[in-house]
Amino acid sequence: MATTNHLRTLLGITLLGTRLLASQDVPLLPRGTVAVIATELSGETAKRNLEFIAREHRMRGSKGWHRAGQHVIDQLQAYGFDDAHFERFPADGKIFYGTQRSRPPWEAEFAELWNLRQDSAGWVRQVRLASWDAMPVTLAQDSESGEVTADLVDVGDGTAESDYAGKDVRGKLVLAAQQPGPVARLAVARFGAAGIVSYAQNQRSAWWGEDENLVRWGHLEAFTPTKTFAFMVSLKQARAFQQRLARGEPVRLEAKVKAGQHPGDYELVTATIPGADPRFRSEEIVYSCHLDHQRPGANDNASGCVTILEVARTLTKLIGDGRLPRPARTIRFVWPPEIEGTLALLTTRPELTARMKAVVHLDMVGGGPETKAIFHVTRGPASLPSFVYDVGGAFGAFVNRQSRAFAESGMAEYPLVAPEGGKEALQAELTELTLGSDHEVYTQGSFGIPAIYLNDDPDRYIHTNFDTPGNIDPTKLKRSGFIAAASGYYLANLGPSDAPALLDLVRSAAVRRTATMLTRRAVLPAAEAANLTRFHLAYERAVVASLDRFITVTVAMHRESEAFLGNLERLVGGATPPQLGGAGGGEVYRRNPDLKGPMSVFAYDYLSDHYGEAKAAALGLNQYSGLRGSGGDYVYEVLNLVDGRRTVREVRDAVSAIYGPVPPEAVAEYLRALESVGVVLPAAGR
């Protein structure tokens, strides 16, 4: 381990690196380039596009999705893109795109839920509780047609058999606290209920349950023989039902739904700015988002969609006006259905996937103060080391400094403020990987494309009827657009002359990461601490090596980098101890090349479907909670780390360094499960 003097030296280097970065007021790009991008980007233009998209209920393969996609194409064509078009991929519930089973498109025509009252003429309509036309989120996704007038029965959570003890729900509607999908398995399939009324409080955060008027997005299962419908109501409405039922008062409802799945297509919008350099134009930098969502879905994710649309407008206008040179590499913009559309693209267009050098992914980037959102510039997985993440972090830190200076004094060279927006500092967090959007597909071990992920989290209105354009801040859209535009444009032009500044950036970031590693190492047992040190040093070496994916680094710079890495190793105590002990773990697996993607995709889990839901849930790794991650984090990275060279023990050691120590048996058990369903295959050797 490092001596006290070494730690003091490292601290000094950390502080020096921080000061140097802070003094670098404009990172990586020329000042003139930063100025024209910052000036041209318009938060208001982005928000005007958002207001249109947020009018549509944008379910995969639906008319609403198509109208939103057509709006994007129309705007792109108006901005001068002559190749803007739809890509289409069949989706029928049978076709697979890697690990994603295609979900048939879902469409709704009509849905209403009425509260009835009894008078002398019988039961008559009193209050309309839900309407597809007025508020589509009140109808759970993947509901099927149905019509019933029936009493309401409160079944609590509705997901355990005990919830139904002594209750007759056959032919009735059930009031449930959990999502309609798991409720339907018992309420409808087992006990014969006619439909579901849910008040599921998903997306729990510090503000959970605070606003009783929120109606949250509900889902039935896409792949189930049990066809039914479900309505979503607010917590306030559910409590009113419960009070009436507790008094012995009958609650009778009238429900009518015209909706259902049908074979169709995933649609995806794409357009490009062709690269200018014959040596590099076949390489692509990708701007990604996801266009599908419930209405209004303003921050999630109309905000990401309109921000990359605004980046597209800004870059093509500046290029057309001669204020920016055309990028060396091609820049591609993609608007898909979340995860499933991205997997369809990457698995069916391998020639396109091979051209992708890096991705800038935006998912929720416009939340104003009412949303309580915290903005993040997020790195890719530790299994995929890359300097690309440091580029995003550099521009995020730049906007933090500029916006803070403006908020504090009213003066900044680049305040990045929209006339209709706020003036507070951005305060973006520069964070390690978090999952939950399309970036995890690009960076997954099957594809290995590094991605910068820009996102808001938490957002107290996510997946509710209150995720409206009124809560979107044009200044936030402008600032997130600047980070995206600057990062992507820099990567699209990256050449050998940029290597010195880029290596300085990588070294500064490496020192800060090393300080974090030392803090984490201090609480670990000796063997695990040594494992973390070994992984960290290998990671930093791989980050430097990742420059070779873009440019040829000179011999002199390689020597300089080697000297830096050697000094870093000496500072932290880089002697390589023996592997961690334990029996077994010598097996080597490789990924099945015909089955690409993560296990948990959109509304579908490949392992659960093929291995058995109960068996998969019982796997130790799925249930494991470590120092810095839980089951989903571990299983994502374990599969990423399978490369035909690492042993099971080495996979275990690597994921333990990333998220905290995990029992070797849990990793081995998980990989055997993957092998049993053909996701991984035995490798002949290392």
Side-chain angles (χ1 to χ4, degrees), residues 65-337:
W65 198 105
H66 182 82
R67 287 191 294 267
Q70 188 61 57
H71 175 76
V72 171
I73 289 177
D74 291 344
Q75 295 301 94
L76 287 168
Q77 291 174 343
Y79 299 157
F81 287 82
D82 57 11
D83 68 342
H85 67 283
F86 284 115
E87 295 267 350
R88 293 182 172 87
F89 308 94
D92 60 3
K94 299 175 183 178
I95 296 170
F96 274 80
Y97 295 104
T99 54
Q100 174 72 62
R101 181 181 176 186
S102 64
R103 295 191 297 163
W106 177 73
E107 199 81 63
E109 298 178 13
F110 179 89
E112 286 188 349
L113 180 69
W114 286 84
N115 183 67
L116 305 181
R117 64 176 176 83
Q118 193 170 23
D119 63 13
S120 58
W123 292 96
V124 297
R125 291 178 173 178
Q126 182 183 31
V127 177
R128 182 165 46 204
L129 303 172
S131 166
W132 167 261
D133 289 334
M135 191 187 296
V137 72
T138 55
L139 181 66
Q141 185 174 325
D142 287 306
S143 287
E144 294 283 337
S145 296
E147 186 172 359
V148 66
T149 298
D151 288 340
L152 184 68
V153 180
D154 187 355
V155 295
D157 281 350
T159 54
E161 291 194 22
S162 58
D163 293 332
Y164 299 87
K167 300 173 183 176
D168 178 15
V169 301
R170 185 167 296 279
K172 300 175 183 177
L173 297 169
V174 298
L175 178 67
Q178 296 300 317
Q179 276 286 332
V183 172
R185 298 183 186 185
L186 287 175
V188 179
R190 178 81 64 83
F191 298 112
I196 299 163
V197 179
S198 169
Y199 57 102
Q201 299 296 295
N202 56 346
Q203 305 296 139
R204 297 194 179 199
S205 65
W207 297 272
W208 175 81
E210 188 175 272
D211 189 336
E212 295 186 342
N213 294 299
L214 296 177
V215 178
R216 297 183 180 271
W217 194 13
H219 302 75
L220 285 156
E221 294 174 348
F223 307 107
T224 175
T226 304
K227 302 301 182 182
T228 190
F229 61 83
F231 284 94
M232 306 302 296
V233 297
S234 67
L235 186 60
K236 182 177 182 179
Q237 181 61 69
R239 287 173 173 167
F241 284 149
Q242 290 167 335
Q243 290 170 2
R244 291 172 59 188
L245 292 169
R247 295 194 299 264
E249 177 184 341
V251 176
R252 178 159 290 193
L253 304 175
E254 176 188 297
K256 184 176 181 179
V257 176
K258 292 182 179 179
Q261 297 180 357
H262 60 86
D265 298 310
Y266 292 136
E267 289 186 315
L268 176 152
V269 175
T270 188
T272 63
I273 298 175
D277 192 323
R279 298 169 299 169
F280 300 122
R281 68 165 61 110
S282 63
E283 300 175 358
E284 296 193 352
I285 305 301
V286 179
Y287 284 96
S288 167
C289 60
H290 70 83
L291 184 55
D292 58 323
H293 213 273
Q294 43 117 157
R295 190 178 89 187
N299 201 23
D300 189 9
N301 180 39
S303 66
C305 295
V306 300
T307 300
I308 73 167
L309 184 58
E310 177 59 13
V311 170
R313 184 197 69 81
T314 294
L315 293 181
T316 197
K317 186 175 192 305
L318 292 173
I319 292 166
D321 291 349
R323 289 185 286 165
L324 278 185
R326 183 172 292 277
R329 296 175 178 85
T330 295
I331 296 176
R332 179 175 296 277
F333 301 87
V334 180
W335 290 263

Side-chain angles (χ1 to χ4, degrees), residues 362-600:
L362 283 70
D363 187 351
M364 301 178 61
V365 296
E370 277 297 307
T371 68
K372 310 300 181 186
I374 299 172
F375 186 72
H376 300 266
V377 180
T378 307
R379 299 179 65 80
S383 59
L384 184 62
S386 177
F387 75 90
V388 167
Y389 318 135
D390 293 330
V391 171
F395 287 113
F398 169 74
V399 176
N400 279 350
R401 295 193 299 274
Q402 292 288 314
S403 63
R404 179 176 178 177
F406 181 76
E408 289 177 345
S409 66
M411 297 177 64
E413 188 173 2
Y414 306 102
L416 291 162
V417 171
E420 297 178 11
K423 298 178 180 180
E424 60 274 5
L426 179 63
Q427 302 184 76
E429 289 193 357
L430 312 180
T431 59
E432 296 175 337
L433 176 71
T434 56
L435 300 175
S437 194
D438 301 70
H439 65 292
E440 67 183 82
V441 177
Y442 288 103
T443 59
Q444 206 276 327
S446 303
F447 308 108
I449 306 167
I452 301 165
Y453 175 33
L454 309 183
N455 69 295
D456 279 340
D457 182 66
D459 178 331
R460 66 172 173 166
Y461 296 136
I462 183 176
H463 293 185
T464 75
N465 56 320
F466 278 31
D467 182 10
T468 61
N471 291 322
I472 299 302
D473 178 14
T475 290
K476 185 87 162 286
L477 296 175
K478 182 181 178 78
R479 289 171 174 174
S480 59
F482 175 84
I483 297 169
S487 298
Y489 187 73
Y490 172 77
L491 292 169
N493 285 289
L494 181 59
S497 63
D498 297 299
L502 186 55
L503 283 169
D504 283 344
L505 173 67
V506 167
R507 285 192 287 262
S508 295
V511 172
R512 292 194 300 275
R513 286 191 291 271
T514 299
T516 299
M517 184 277 290
L518 289 173
T519 302
R520 293 173 176 174
R521 190 176 78 176
V523 302
L524 294 174
E528 295 290 357
N531 176 60
L532 174 58
T533 304
R534 183 170 53 249
F535 180 86
H536 172 75
L537 292 172
Y539 178 88
E540 295 303 340
R541 187 170 293 277
V543 170
V544 173
S546 71
L547 271 69
D548 292 333
R549 179 177 169 87
F550 276 75
I551 57 177
T552 300
V553 179
T554 65
V555 173
M557 288 183 194
H558 268 302
R559 288 174 181 163
E560 185 180 343
S561 297
E562 280 298 319
F564 168 79
L565 293 167
N567 287 333
L568 194 67
E569 183 173 327
R570 285 187 288 275
L571 282 169
V572 301
T576 305
Q579 287 290 110
L580 292 171
E587 303 91 341
V588 178
Y589 290 105
R590 60 183 175 88
R591 183 67 190 260
N592 185 342
D594 298 324
L595 194 57
K596 300 179 185 295
M599 286 300 93
S600 181

